[in-house]
Amino acid sequence: MDLLTKDLLRLATVGSVDDGKSTLIGRLLVDTRQLFDDQLDAVVAASEKRGVGDLDLSFVTDGLRAEREQGITIDVAYRYATTPTRKFIIADCPGHVTYTRNMATGASSADLALVVLDVATGLKEQTRRHLCIAALLGVRAVIVAVNKMDAVGWSEVAYRGVVDEVDTLARELGFASATSIPVSALLGDNVVETSSNTPWYEGPSVLEALETSEAETWTTAASGARLPIQWVLRQPGGGRTYAGMINGEPLEIGATVVLLPQGVETTINALNFGGESLTSAPVGLAADVGLAAETDAGRGDLIATAPLPRVTNDFTATLCWFGDRPLETGQRLRLKHTTKSTPVRVEALTGLVDIETLRVRECAALDTNDIGLARLVTADPLVVDDYHVNRVTGSFVLIDDVTNATVAAGMVGHASFL
Amino acid sequence: MELSLQTPRATDHLDVLESHALFIMREVVAECERPVLLFSGGKDSAVLLHLAVKAFAPQRLPFAVMHVDTGQNFPEVLAFRDRAVARVGAKLVVASVQASIDQGRVRDPGPMGSRNRLQSVTLLDAITTHGFDAAFGGARRDEDKARAKERVLSFRNAFGQWDPRAQRPELWQLYQGKVNPGEHVRAFPLSDWTELDVWQYIAREEMDLPSIYFAHEREVLARDGMWLAVGEFVEPRPGENVETKTVRFRTVGDANCTGAVLSGATTLEAIIDEVAVANVSERGATRADDKFSETAMEDRKREGYF
Ligand SMILES: Nc1nc2c(ncn2[C@@H]2O[C@H](COP(=O)(O)OP(=O)(O)O)[C@@H](O)[C@H]2O)c(=O)[nH]1
């Protein structure tokens, strides 16, 4: 069993600006009574001040001054909701193309994507981009809220048209499941309760779909156990243990493990959490482990069980580029992978993903918010799995050496749809 | 596969939040040169200290604990601070707002005035003086709409400012705390915890807390829609009535701007029951300092407030 229990669901909202993401989240929170009275009062007051009628639900999540002034979402807002069946951590992501980096931030730890789109305008380029990023980031389940149904007279034909378009894309992107729901975020139809305005629709409301979704957690992995060492702890008797979060598979006392990149095979002879000893430890636990072999292990090394990850300093990866200036072949940056940082060089840019066609084509550079493929060479060897095998050992970020800004999200290997 | 902690219990969302927090603390300590833990004596910072001990057990804490002391504390909270720090054997740094006033760094708001906003200057001065490049704070995203937007590792420039329009992307659990000299990061390991999670965790871990969190009798007066404790820092103004009520505090800030709530909850279980059905937010009920404008918290964070 995982620590990452099914009673906690992490979801990210996805969609183009103005399609109604913030309104939908606001509606979900208000109708399931997650808001306190004073928070609701503040939303009412803010709405009145800007003369937008009695209640603009998007003010529930758009909390920054610039966001309220411009009426758009700049950065992810995290919200928390609890219903009798589940706890939800909601990352309400910005839809604007300029803030794609923030959308990726919200989606990188999500188990499920809640896609919101306007029934009148259908699937916009930005929504395609976001769905593509969500798929690349390994989100497996999507719920599609086809919004503003009130504005098209609850037309089933209009709804079906959009759903066909979305289903085709979802299939291409390889999502495990995609549930579409006709909603009005503004009026609340099919958000918490199913609506009588859509008698032709027999599926669940958005809330019901969220409560019953069998989304895989973002740490679900097909690899052996992985423990990237964060920190070395000295034990009172003179021994050492290695602290880190376990993922992939649980660990237990006596298990045969390999310390990488050294390649030392040994067994686990101690397993602790917060100073208490254990006999086995589940995925997701920030544990510390002792190794039988006398070795010189430290931060950046990795303890693994079979099937083992590979040790390499030359690999291909999928990149979401967030830098202000284009990324070009030959560029040098810093790479952070698990608990290790190392200089990296872009050996070759091998392709740019065309969001419209999902085809990879040749390119000379990656512009801000482009998704591309690259061959990277690192100064120090890394211990990696392909991203679709393990999201922890398969992910990395690229960092600008001068400003320390995070300029790219990287995934080892490439998604099956590319 | 069964989870077999020595004290067997089912795993739940608290275990997820706890392990995530431990992971964050270790990353910050490994990546930064001189971290410090900001400790107010409130329940969130008590949880933070408890988690820090777990993250590095059996070693001692690899960082100091800092209290930004406004000089307007509840005495029960100061007593708790000293008790908690002594128990874990941490080094305590006290950054004093009074000292900032005496040195002319900030203007004295007078004996009854609020020192809440002055804390930013004292805090930033202390961060510079001690050369801290990372500060752990107990802030949670469910507290306020500006906090709901903040990263787990929140970058501050050389002036201590937060720029909400240019936050670093924060992907997966790849926390990135590198800064240039003079800059620092605030690290919020409790980002994804709710008020209820905090109370449930305190109960589960049987933690010690300042006594003012539990219901007790106290002289209070009604001001700005809140019950303020009458004492050294709050005296009745003409027309204000002093009454004795059974109250407890949901947050502990300065004695002159933290409101009490009417409550008979004397145990953690009773508090959890109240929190689960509360209809007013923690800050809304008890913090006068957040009420000035719609984006009061954001404005103060930009200035360097924790
Ligand atoms: N008619 C109608 N308008 C909606 C609906 N949901 C949102 N809107 C409006 O669409 C606009 C954009 O909504 P908002 O939630 O800010 O979009 P976001 O940019 O995706 O977060 C606002 O004016 C909303 O009031 C809906 O269900 N029906």
Side-chain angles (χ1 to χ4, degrees):
Chain A
M1 202 189 82
D2 280 7
L3 256 194
L4 302 126
T5 50
K6 295 284 184 230
D7 53 68
L8 181 68
L9 184 79
R10 292 175 184 269
L11 65 121
T13 62
V14 165
S16 188
V17 62
D18 278 348
D19 283 4
K21 274 192 325 296
S22 300
T23 307
L24 181 68
I25 297 303
R27 170 62 68 191
L28 263 174
L29 295 175
V30 169
D31 287 4
T32 56
R33 294 174 216 281
Q34 307 291 332
L35 287 197
F36 293 117
D37 291 352
D38 54 315
Q39 293 173 326
L40 200 55
D41 290 348
V43 173
V44 173
S47 307
E48 279 167 358
K49 212 161 111 188
R50 280 172 188 69
V52 288
D54 31 85
L55 187 61
D56 185 334
L57 287 165
S58 71
F59 283 176
V60 173
T61 52
D62 289 345
L64 298 174
R65 186 179 288 281
E67 293 181 321
R68 287 177 181 226
E69 282 163 7
Q70 297 170 22
I72 59 162
T73 310
I74 292 174
D75 215 325
V76 191
Y78 291 90
R79 296 287 155 182
Y80 304 84
T82 308
T83 69
T85 41
R86 256 189 179 162
K87 269 185 83 84
F88 299 96
I89 298 181
I90 305 165
D92 184 21
C93 299
H96 204 277
V97 66
T98 318
Y99 305 113
T100 301
R101 60 180 190 275
N102 298 334
M103 177 270 164
T105 292
S108 69
S109 53
D111 310 324
L112 178 143
L114 174 59
V115 183
V116 183
L117 36 82
D118 183 338
V119 64
T121 49
L123 199 54
K124 295 177 191 156
E125 150 139 20
Q126 189 56 9
T127 313
R128 295 182 71 93
R129 179 183 301 275
H130 279 183
L131 269 169
C132 185
I133 293 172
L136 287 173
L137 289 170
V139 177
R140 305 276 296 133
V142 282
I143 293 175
V144 183
V146 180
N147 191 29
K148 309 199 187 183
M149 286 300 298
D150 58 296
V152 296
W154 312 100
S155 156
E156 182 178 5
V157 176
Y159 170 72
R160 293 275 163 233
V162 174
V163 169
D164 284 348
E165 212 182 352
V166 177
D167 277 352
T168 307
L169 180 63
R171 246 192 326 273
E172 281 177 307
L173 292 173
F175 285 110
S177 73
T179 309
S180 295
I181 305 168
V183 309
S184 169
L186 195 65
L187 305 176
D189 296 77
N190 292 328
V191 176
V192 169
E193 305 285 342
T194 46
S195 166
S196 56
N197 286 320
T198 51
W200 41 266
Y201 173 75
E202 289 177 342
S205 69
V206 173
L207 181 68
E208 285 163 3
L210 288 172
E211 285 186 321
T212 54
S213 158
E214 305 240 344
E216 296 164 25
T217 60
W218 75 276
T219 46
T220 305
S223 71
R226 306 284 185 258
L227 187 152
I229 298 174
Q230 291 187 276
W231 188 256
V232 180
L233 292 169
R234 270 171 238 286
Q235 298 295 324
R240 289 151 177 257
T241 57
Y242 304 101
M245 190 180 276
I246 299 166
N247 72 88
E249 294 254 306
L251 281 177
E252 55 186 42
I253 297 276
T256 301
V257 295
V258 180
L259 175 71
L260 295 165
Q262 294 88 333
V264 177
E265 188 174 300
T266 179
T267 53
I268 292 193
N269 65 4
L271 204 47
N272 310 307
F273 176 73
E276 284 179 53
S277 53
L278 318 172
T279 52
S280 73
V283 167
L285 197 75
D288 58 286
V289 305
L291 299 179
E294 287 282 331
T295 54
D296 184 21
R299 179 171 170 84
D301 300 336
L302 186 125
I303 295 165
T305 66
L308 294 178
R310 56 186 204 276
V311 178
T312 180
N313 66 350
D314 184 339
F315 57 94
T316 58
T318 310
L319 298 179
C320 298
W321 179 249
F322 307 131
D324 294 334
R325 278 170 297 168
L327 177 70
E328 287 163 3
T329 300
Q331 208 154 316
R332 283 162 206 276
L333 294 148
R334 193 147 40 87
L335 180 149
K336 183 175 181 186
H337 169 260
T338 63
T339 56
K340 191 177 184 109
S341 290
T342 172
V344 63
R345 188 179 69 237
V346 180
E347 197 62 22
L349 282 178
T350 51
L352 170 78
V353 179
D354 183 321
I355 299 292
E356 280 302 314
T357 62
L358 297 181
R359 295 266 152 66
V360 179
R361 54 181 162 80
E362 281 186 22
C363 66
L366 293 184
D367 285 327
T368 313
N369 299 321
D370 276 350
I371 298 162
L373 303 179
R375 206 184 118 207
L376 303 177
V377 173
T378 56
D380 301 323
L382 299 178
V383 185
V384 303
D385 287 293
D386 275 353
Y387 185 73
H388 66 86
V389 172
N390 188 306
R391 276 165 112 175
V392 174
T393 44
S395 59
F396 59 88
V397 291
L398 299 181
I399 298 159
D400 182 307
D401 260 325
V402 178
T403 62
N404 292 312
T406 304
V407 286
M411 288 147 281
V412 179
H414 58 77
S416 54
F417 61 84
L418 292 181
Chain B
M1 268 152 289
E2 272 293 321
L3 173 85
S4 59
L5 291 169
Q6 286 276 264
T7 42
R9 56 179 161 75
T11 64
D12 59 13
H13 69 280
L14 290 180
D15 295 300
V16 179
L17 295 173
E18 178 186 53
S19 268
H20 189 190
L22 263 52
F23 178 85
I24 294 163
M25 295 187 121
R26 290 169 177 167
E27 281 305 281
V28 171
V29 168
E31 294 232 323
C32 299
E33 304 283 329
R34 273 180 81 78
V36 66
L37 186 147
L38 302 177
F39 189 80
S40 67
K43 66 180 191 314
D44 299 314
S45 61
V47 168
L48 209 55
L49 187 61
H50 184 87
L51 292 166
V53 170
K54 281 199 169 188
F56 298 98
Q59 282 183 208
R60 278 184 41 176
L61 282 194
F63 43 77
V65 168
M66 180 158 79
H67 180 219
V68 179
D69 182 0
T70 60
Q72 295 178 334
N73 305 287
F74 289 99
E76 295 91 335
V77 175
L78 282 185
F80 170 73
R81 176 195 78 184
D82 294 339
R83 197 159 78 222
V85 170
R87 191 178 48 238
V88 305
K91 176 172 180 276
L92 177 69
V93 176
V94 177
S96 155
V97 173
Q98 186 60 51
S100 300
I101 293 171
D102 295 345
Q103 290 155 14
R105 298 278 298 142
V106 290
R107 234 186 41 227
D108 191 349
M112 296 292 143
S114 170
R115 293 183 168 189
N116 217 293
R117 297 191 66 142
L118 310 185
Q119 290 181 81
S120 315
V121 175
T122 309
L123 172 67
L124 292 176
D125 284 355
I127 284 176
T128 310
T129 311
H130 295 276
F132 295 130
D133 59 350
F136 290 107
R140 308 187 319 265
R141 286 173 176 153
D142 77 329
E143 279 178 77
D144 172 86
K145 51 192 181 294
R147 284 198 169 149
K149 299 250 164 185
E150 195 161 7
R151 299 282 189 259
V152 171
L153 253 64
S154 185
F155 175 76
R156 301 301 158 101
N157 67 17
F159 301 93
Q161 291 165 311
W162 179 55
D163 182 357
R165 305 204 58 165
Q167 299 196 83
R168 288 179 180 174
E170 188 165 81
L171 292 126
W172 300 287
Q173 292 191 6
L174 288 167
Y175 299 107
Q176 212 260 94
K178 281 275 179 297
V179 293
N180 289 323
E183 303 166 344
H184 71 280
V185 291
R186 302 283 167 88
F188 301 115
L190 306 184
S191 286
D192 282 336
W193 297 50
T194 63
E195 184 187 11
L196 190 58
D197 296 329
V198 167
W199 282 113
Q200 287 175 336
Y201 187 74
I202 289 168
R204 185 181 96 175
E205 303 287 305
E206 298 177 350
M207 286 172 51
D208 181 24
L209 280 187
S211 56
I212 63 169
Y213 277 115
F214 300 92
H216 56 285
E217 284 208 338
R218 188 178 279 270
E219 288 198 327
V220 291
L221 57 79
R223 184 183 295 168
D224 303 334
M226 292 186 305
W227 293 105
L228 293 180
V230 177
E232 194 183 339
F233 309 109
V234 178
E235 284 170 8
R237 295 173 187 157
E240 287 179 337
N241 260 339
V242 175
E243 302 168 63
T244 299
K245 299 266 183 203
T246 302
V247 297
R248 66 180 178 86
F249 291 84
R250 269 173 88 181
T251 68
V252 301
D254 279 3
N256 61 1
C257 68
T258 304
V261 293
L262 301 180
S263 163
T266 53
T267 63
L268 287 171
E269 291 65 34
I271 291 173
I272 289 169
D273 287 345
E274 279 190 11
V275 171
V277 298
N279 57 7
V280 176
S281 78
E282 189 179 270
R283 299 195 81 86
T286 62
R287 298 296 278 264
D289 47 319
D290 286 337
K291 290 200 170 163
F292 299 123
S293 84
E294 232 177 78
T295 50
M297 174 67 92
E298 180 188 343
D299 295 342
R300 282 186 308 152
K301 286 183 86 74
R302 284 171 178 270
E303 291 167 9
Y305 180 84
F306 2 123

